[in-house]
């Protein structure tokens, strides 16, 4: 198992400097997609669909490491939002 992929994914999730808080970012994307497509998606739907985007890219370029890292990151975020209690360290808490 390539644990470096998981470590890179965790670093990408916890840094969140480019797009802001991951949960807020995925919620924002869901709102935009809902407005565009007339659907009722939530942040978890966005995470699943982003995983599918990455899988589609891997089908063309199977060795693209960044897609693997992104899949791991989106899966971890999905798990955090779906857990009955927060998983410590996955999604950083918002600064108030």
């Amino acid at each position: 198992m390539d644990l470096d992929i998981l470590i890179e994914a965790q670093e990408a999730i916890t840094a969140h400097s480019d797009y802001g808080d991951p949960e807020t970012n995925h919620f924002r994307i869901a709102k935009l997609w809902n407005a565009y497509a007339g659907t009722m998606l939530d942040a978890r739907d966005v995470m699943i669909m982003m995983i599918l985007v990455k899988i589609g890219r891997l089908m063309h370029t199977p060795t693209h490491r960044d897609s693997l890292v992104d899949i791991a990151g989106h899966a971890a975020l999905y798990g955090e939002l779906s857990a009955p209690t927060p998983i410590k360290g996955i999604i950083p808490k918002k600064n108030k």
Side-chain angles (χ1 to χ4, degrees), residues 8-82:
E8 287 177 45
Q10 182 181 25
E11 289 170 355
I13 292 169
T14 56
H16 69 77
S17 60
D18 291 337
Y19 310 115
D21 170 66
E23 183 177 2
T24 302
N25 182 48
H26 285 83
F27 177 74
R28 183 183 315 115
I29 293 168
K31 285 176 56 176
L32 291 167
W33 287 359
N34 288 335
Y36 178 79
T39 59
M40 291 304 297
L41 303 173
D42 64 20
R44 288 180 297 201
D45 294 318
V46 171
M47 292 172 195
I48 293 294
M49 291 175 22
M50 294 303 292
I51 289 170
L52 293 173
V53 167
K54 299 300 179 171
I55 290 170
R57 290 177 179 174
L58 283 170
M59 292 171 73
H60 179 74
T61 311
T63 58
H64 192 248
R65 182 180 180 83
D66 186 60
S67 291
L68 296 172
V69 171
D70 287 347
I71 288 169
H74 285 296
L77 291 170
Y78 185 93
E80 169 70 9
L81 289 181
S82 300

